[in-house]
Amino acid sequence: MTKTLAEHLAPGGPKRILALDGGGVMGVIEIAFLEQIEKLLQNQHHNPKLRLCDYFDLIGGTSTGSIIATALALGMSAAEVKDLYFRSAKAIFRPRFGIPYLTPRFSERGLQNILHEILRDETIASEKLKTGLAIVSKRIDTGSVWVLSNNPKSKFWNDPEPNPHTGKREYVGNKHYLLRDIIRASTAAPYFFAPHRMKIVDGEPDGLFVDGGVSPHNNPSLMMLMLAGINGYRYNWTISKNKLLMISLGTGWIRPKISIAEEAKTASSLLAVNTLRGVIWDGQVNALTLLQWLSEP
């Protein structure tokens, strides 16, 4: 079953995608399912060493899902990812002292330290990635959704030729982006963590990123389908029930609601946060509805 990264990414043949939702520390729910899926596959293939990166050709995640997706793509077992979460949760969600609702609730330092400990200076082009990886974030200085993957055929993978008039390159090739920066961007949930800056163009202001959950893709499954099938993303996989399998895992299911009584006594800033949760819910329901309509669940 073991494939090279190139074999996982190449078009042709049946492909398998694993999509992992955002949801903060509730990512442990996804991990519980992943442990069982991994055990089932190990038994099915009579291989106790099988990892999810061996089975899936693309693992995509948003926010906390991006942490899990990266760990799995690097070859970690589901049990190892669970140990990482239980070991790291207190350090990541460390309260930050400041004015409530005017400063982020948690310090990003704990998360950054853990990401550096695990990933060091590995880029998204790292040879340690054993299968396809895609991470969703939201770039707020341009208002655009960003999905970064380790497909070397992707449009912005390499550095462009310098502009003949200015001598500058229009952007930094995606292959140079540090995995810890990409994950930090995808997990920068507004109100909870500060936005994250990344260098996009030399000599220009950094790009400003927040959690991919505030895009339509907190559930990244629809984005993963687009990545696989839209020609511009250059995966060029065949989209059919016999050629593509997707498993989508979430972190729980609740419809955010605000009563009239609650609205009357809730600060405007907190009301905005609660309303944003409703928008995230709408995006998740929309993704699931479309995928169930398009597929054979």
Side-chain angles (χ1 to χ4, degrees):
M1 173 159 296
T2 303
K3 302 178 183 176
T4 65
L5 176 60
E7 289 171 332
H8 277 298
L9 297 177
K15 296 294 181 181
R16 306 181 185 108
I17 299 175
L18 177 62
L20 304 172
D21 288 15
V25 75
M26 299 299 284
V28 296
I29 294 173
E30 294 176 341
I31 296 170
F33 281 96
L34 290 168
E35 278 194 292
Q36 294 305 312
I37 292 171
E38 191 173 69
K39 288 178 183 177
L40 287 169
L41 290 172
Q42 287 172 347
N43 292 334
Q44 179 182 340
H45 294 276
H46 309 289
N47 181 3
K49 294 183 179 181
L50 183 145
R51 297 289 181 264
L52 294 173
C53 64
D54 300 321
Y55 187 78
F56 291 99
D57 300 292
L58 175 62
I59 305 178
T62 300
S63 193
T64 196
S66 73
I67 300 174
I68 301 170
T70 303
L72 294 176
L74 286 168
M76 292 177 67
S77 68
E80 289 172 328
V81 179
K82 181 176 70 174
D83 290 343
L84 171 66
Y85 257 67
F86 279 98
R87 177 168 56 88
S88 306
K90 286 186 179 180
I92 291 174
F93 296 100
R94 180 180 298 164
R96 181 179 200 156
F97 296 102
I99 302 173
Y101 309 120
L102 293 181
T103 55
R105 185 174 175 184
F106 302 113
S107 169
E108 64 274 13
R109 185 172 299 172
L111 175 59
Q112 289 181 162
N113 289 343
I114 288 167
L115 292 176
H116 189 272
E117 173 191 335
I118 298 167
L119 300 169
R120 299 297 175 180
D121 292 327
E122 297 292 340
T123 69
I124 198 168
S126 173
E127 294 181 358
K128 293 183 179 180
L129 290 169
K130 301 180 185 304
T131 191
L133 173 66
I135 295 175
V136 181
S137 60
K138 173 78 173 181
R139 185 177 173 189
I140 56 174
D141 61 306
T142 61
S144 54
V145 176
W146 273 45
V147 55
L148 293 168
S149 76
N150 63 335
N151 181 11
K153 294 181 181 178
S154 60
K155 184 176 180 181
F156 300 105
W157 183 256
N158 293 305
D159 295 325
E161 293 295 325
N163 184 306
H165 302 291
T166 64
K168 290 184 177 181
R169 301 182 190 276
E170 293 184 1
Y171 56 86
V172 175
N174 289 356
K175 66 181 181 181
H176 299 299
Y177 291 172
L178 296 173
L179 281 170
R180 55 186 164 90
D181 272 336
I182 300 170
I183 294 173
R184 171 70 180 90
S186 183
T187 56
Y191 170 69
F192 294 103
F193 292 103
H196 187 63
R197 299 171 183 267
M198 285 203 301
K199 176 64 65 182
I200 309 299
V201 182
D202 289 332
E204 298 290 337
D206 293 343
L208 190 63
F209 291 83
V210 295
D211 196 305
V214 297
S215 76
H217 305 296
N218 188 60
N219 175 343
S221 53
L222 185 59
M223 185 72 253
M224 295 304 103
L225 184 67
M226 293 164 60
L227 199 68
I230 293 178
N231 290 338
Y233 289 114
R234 300 182 181 176
Y235 275 77
N236 301 123
W237 291 357
T238 301
I239 307 299
S240 74
K241 69 177 184 179
N242 296 321
K243 292 287 187 178
L244 186 65
L245 167 72
M246 181 186 294
I247 293 179
S248 173
L249 294 180
T251 58
W253 190 255
I254 185 170
R255 179 182 296 164
K257 294 178 286 187
I258 302 171
S259 69
I260 292 176
E262 288 174 320
E263 186 277 333
K265 59 184 180 182
T266 301
S268 296
S269 56
L270 188 57
L271 185 64
V273 172
N274 289 335
T275 304
L276 181 59
R277 291 194 181 105
V279 176
I280 294 171
W281 158 269
D282 293 339
Q284 289 182 262
V285 171
N286 185 57
L288 287 171
T289 302
L290 284 172
L291 284 169
Q292 290 190 12
W293 172 45
L294 291 170
S295 69
E296 185 176 298

